[in-house]
Amino acid sequence: MKRVSRQQGFTLLEILIALAIFAILSIMAYAGLAAVLDARAATEPRSAQLAQLQTTLYLLNEDLSQAIDRPVRDELGSPEPAFTNGHGSEILNLTRSVPVWTENAVGNSLQRVSYRFENGSLYRQVWALLDRTPQTQHRRRKLLDAKQVEVKIYEAESHSWRPFIGETKTIPLALQFEFNVEGLGTLQHAFLLHQ
């Protein structure tokens, strides 16, 4: 007599249990992935804000540490002080030296830098020519989105900070910037200027 061999395989119950376990593991994995994606989406805007703030503070430090006492002429030929808070949306204008890092360099080149606060954003403008004409080109860069930006100047006589309005006869000892950034609150940073 010939024996009929029994085929080996999974029963319907075993397949259903395996599918249920796979479904539970898939739901757990999806929940973990969704939590990671939600955390990433929440931190990306804050990370972008912090990167903007870090870039702004770096550029301010570079410009202020290289500030020099060199008045300029504006586009209309009017004299402009070396260090002033500007007019309208301009919160700071200054002349700075830019070190040239080549072997053949004889000296430093100079730039005129302006910081403007317009429509909730801080911008930096740079002119390679100090005494400008109406055709003089400048580079403009958006630095930071903020609700408000204030600049204060340190007065050595009274040992106190006051709002920076107008011009100074000499380059001040220090400036303090106050940024009101949504989500980060009010941030203050003081810069010691090169004397």
Side-chain angles (χ1 to χ4, degrees):
M1 227 167 123
K2 207 172 181 186
R3 273 189 171 175
V4 177
S5 65
R6 225 174 128 200
Q7 288 186 346
Q8 297 291 325
F10 295 107
T11 65
L12 181 59
L13 182 60
E14 291 172 333
I15 291 175
L16 288 176
I17 290 172
L19 285 174
I21 292 172
F22 179 74
I24 291 170
L25 291 175
S26 298
I27 291 171
M28 289 172 51
Y30 177 77
L33 179 62
V36 168
L37 292 176
D38 289 345
R40 180 179 175 191
T43 57
E44 274 182 355
R46 187 63 48 89
S47 177
Q49 276 183 323
L50 292 174
Q52 282 183 343
L53 184 62
Q54 186 176 19
T55 301
T56 301
L57 295 177
Y58 172 78
L59 289 172
L60 278 167
N61 185 57
E62 287 294 307
D63 290 338
L64 293 172
S65 66
Q66 300 292 328
I68 62 167
D69 191 10
R70 167 45 163 97
V72 298
R73 295 206 172 269
D74 67 9
E75 291 84 357
L76 303 175
S78 302
E80 195 173 279
F83 205 92
T84 179
N85 76 328
H87 308 286
S89 62
E90 293 178 328
I91 59 172
L92 178 64
N93 287 322
L94 62 101
T95 304
R96 68 161 286 182
S97 64
V98 180
V100 179
W101 303 106
T102 63
E103 293 178 11
N104 300 331
V106 180
N108 290 343
S109 63
L110 302 177
Q111 292 179 339
R112 187 67 173 174
V113 179
S114 172
Y115 285 88
R116 298 170 172 260
F117 185 66
E118 300 172 350
N119 302 321
S121 296
L122 181 66
Y123 294 90
R124 178 180 184 257
Q125 292 184 176
V126 178
W127 291 267
L129 297 174
L130 297 184
D131 299 317
R132 304 183 299 269
T133 67
Q135 290 79 27
T136 304
Q137 298 292 315
H138 66 274
R139 292 187 319 257
R140 179 177 168 112
R141 178 179 179 181
K142 181 180 176 183
L143 296 178
L144 179 68
D145 292 319
K147 294 179 183 176
Q148 187 176 3
V149 177
E150 290 183 27
V151 183
K152 294 181 179 177
I153 189 169
Y154 181 74
E155 289 186 331
E157 303 83 34
S158 62
H159 302 290
S160 63
W161 296 95
R162 71 164 172 83
F164 182 35
I165 300 171
E167 61 187 75
T168 61
K169 293 180 181 168
T170 61
I171 295 177
L173 293 174
L175 285 184
Q176 177 179 290
F177 280 76
E178 189 173 288
F179 306 99
N180 188 343
V181 181
E182 187 171 345
L184 297 177
T186 301
L187 308 163
Q188 294 179 341
H189 192 88
F191 298 92
L192 184 65
L193 276 71
H194 178 70
Q195 297 298 314

